[in-house]
């Protein structure tokens, strides 16, 4: 096992470093301190050959200006908040509007655009990178000074875990996630339609044209969203089906059939047949945003090695609470009070078959 650190550039007047954690199988993860973004993830295939399976940029400027939140920690609130407003204990809060009429992924400069303090360490069974950021009261419109710690761990059994920890000094709302894009054949290997996907979710959230949940939970039964039996992402990818038409593909909150808390089994699994790579998602969170990369057509920002991504070339499985839950008492609770500790974990485990 080993850890390397190098300078990656400068953003917002601060030096940004890149840490690479490597375990004995050869698997490694590179994380930059801007946004705590996973920049590279080398994973063995069934022959032991490594490929980089995540999206990202060579250039720091692309992380600052590019969209898509490549690999980044998302906060304070994953996904959309309708009209960027909510009321907490009778007080109205106004957030930055950055996605049509709505607030998305923490706002103008959310956690994906902060330079985090970093500390690397080697433990018996893996390497860790601990990232810390204190978000001041009122940042992007959110109440409370929030102290956040995110710990990445790459373990000897080829699992990348992400632990989130936060405390606040005033009642607030919080929904942290990670926005890594995957293509298990390698990030530059084209469409994801052949990936076989299993998600143990029995319903998904209907959205309006601005991708805000309407409040309606739809059963996956008999729909393109039924991944309870593994099927390829492409099989039912038909944009004439209304929910898929609205979003240009899959971009929906899937609600797990049962909640694994404490985390005890996988909630989703992806298999790429040519390489034999399998990725399992273990989490204690109630939902996952399955996003099929429907906005990946930004010609101004070349991906690593100059690669141009295209629509549905990578997917995200963003474990989270329900989008816009700040405005819907019947959705998953997303408040964090003084004296409480926000603690969640998600693990991406890699295997082959
Ligand atoms: C999330 C959203 C998508 C899109 C991407 C970033 O996955 O659900 O609609 O905004 O982030 O491009």
């Amino acid at each position: 096992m080993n850890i390397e650190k190098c300078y990656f550039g400068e953003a917002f007047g601060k030096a940004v470093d890149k840490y690479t954690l490597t375990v004995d199988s050869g698997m490694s993860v590179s994380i930059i301190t801007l946004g705590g973004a996973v920049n590279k993830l080398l994973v063995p295939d069934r022959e032991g050959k490594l490929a980089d399976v995540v999206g990202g940029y060579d250039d720091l400027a692309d992380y600052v200006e590019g969209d898509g939140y490549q690999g980044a920690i998302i906060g304070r609130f994953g996904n959309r908040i309708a009209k960027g407003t909510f009321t907490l204990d009778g007080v109205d809060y106004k957030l930055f509007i950055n996605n049509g009429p709505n607030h998305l992924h923490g706002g103008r400069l959310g956690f994906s655009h902060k330079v985090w303090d970093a500390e690397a360490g080697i433990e018996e069974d893996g390497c860790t990178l601990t990232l810390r950021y204190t978000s001041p009261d009122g940042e992007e419109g959110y109440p409370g000074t929030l102290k956040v710690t995110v710990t990445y761990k790459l373990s000897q059994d080829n699992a990348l875990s992400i632990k989130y920890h936060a405390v606040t000094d005033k009642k607030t709302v919080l929904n942290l996630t990670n926005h890594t894009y995957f293509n298990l054949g390698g990030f530059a290997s084209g469409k994801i339609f052949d990936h076989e996907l299993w998600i143990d979710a029995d319903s998904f959230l209907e959205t309006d044209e601005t991708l805000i949940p309407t409040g309606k939970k739809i059963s996956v039964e008999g729909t393109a969203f039924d991944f309870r039996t593994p099927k390829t992402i492409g099989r039912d990818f038909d944009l004439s089906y209304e929910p898929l038409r609205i979003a240009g593909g899959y971009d929906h909150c899937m609600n797990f059939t049962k909640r694994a808390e404490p985390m005890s089994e996988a909630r989703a699994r992806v298999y790429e047949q040519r390489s034999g790579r399998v990725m399992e998602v273990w989490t204690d969170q109630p939902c996952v945003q399955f996003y099929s990369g429907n906005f990946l057509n930004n010609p101004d920002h070349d991906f690593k090695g100059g690669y141009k991504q295209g629509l549905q070339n990578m997917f995200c499985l963003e474990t989270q609470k329900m989008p816009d839950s700040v405005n819907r008492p019947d959705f998953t609770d997303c408040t964090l009070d003084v004296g409480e500790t926000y603690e969640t974990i998600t693990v991406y485990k890699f295997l082959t078959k």
Side-chain angles (χ1 to χ4, degrees), residues 216-229:
K216 201 164 145 200
K217 287 178 203 158
I218 302 183
S219 163
V220 298
E221 185 76 47
T223 75
F225 289 81
D226 195 346
F227 288 96
R228 292 173 300 178
T229 304

Side-chain angles (χ1 to χ4, degrees), residues 33-46:
T33 53
L34 178 72
V38 174
N39 161 267
K40 188 177 187 181
L41 188 66
L42 292 178
V43 179
D45 68 5
R46 63 164 80 83

Side-chain angles (χ1 to χ4, degrees), residues 100-168:
N102 303 318
H103 173 88
L104 174 69
H105 292 332
R108 189 176 66 95
L109 297 174
F111 292 176
S112 53
H113 287 74
K114 302 296 174 187
V115 181
W116 295 61
D117 292 332
E119 196 185 326
I122 295 194
E123 295 176 358
E124 209 179 303
D125 58 342
C127 308
T128 62
L129 185 70
T130 303
L131 299 167
R132 291 191 179 85
Y133 175 68
T134 299
S135 174
D137 184 19
E139 189 173 54
E140 298 290 329
Y142 290 98
T145 309
L146 192 77
K147 284 195 176 155
V148 191
T149 306
V150 176
T151 307
Y152 284 100
K153 178 170 180 176
L154 183 63
S155 51
Q156 290 282 42
D157 60 353
N158 290 356
L160 178 66
S161 69
I162 314 176
K163 254 190 207 165
Y164 305 85
H165 175 280
V167 288
T168 182

Side-chain angles (χ1 to χ4, degrees), residues 68-69 79-80 104-105 179 181 211 251 289 291 295 318:
Y69 304 87
N79 215 273
R80 294 174 179 77
L104 174 69
H105 292 332
H179 212 300
Y181 289 76
L211 301 187
D251 190 354
Q289 182 81 8
Y291 173 51
F295 302 116
E318 306 155 59

Side-chain angles (χ1 to χ4, degrees), residues 227-295:
F227 288 96
R228 292 173 300 178
T229 304
K231 64 169 179 170
T232 62
I233 293 174
R235 200 189 80 179
D236 297 326
F237 192 96
D238 176 358
L239 295 182
S240 64
Y241 175 49
E242 189 65 359
L244 293 181
R245 180 199 62 78
I246 287 177
Y250 293 102
D251 190 354
H252 295 77
C253 179
M254 312 274 300
N255 308 312
F256 294 132
T257 307
K258 55 180 187 288
R259 192 161 174 188
E261 197 188 19
M263 194 177 65
S264 54
E265 53 189 327
R267 303 264 51 94
R269 185 177 295 111
V270 195
Y271 169 50
E272 202 275 325
Q273 303 165 36
R274 272 163 302 170
S275 66
R277 287 190 192 89
V278 175
M279 182 177 85
E280 290 186 346
V281 184
W282 294 52
T283 187
D284 58 8
Q285 291 293 281
C287 316
V288 66
Q289 182 81 8
F290 170 42
Y291 173 51
S292 58
N294 315 315
F295 302 116

Side-chain angles (χ1 to χ4, degrees), residues 56-70:
Y57 305 113
D58 287 328
D59 236 332
L60 187 57
D62 291 314
Y63 281 97
V64 176
E65 293 150 22
D67 52 12
Y69 304 87
Q70 298 295 321

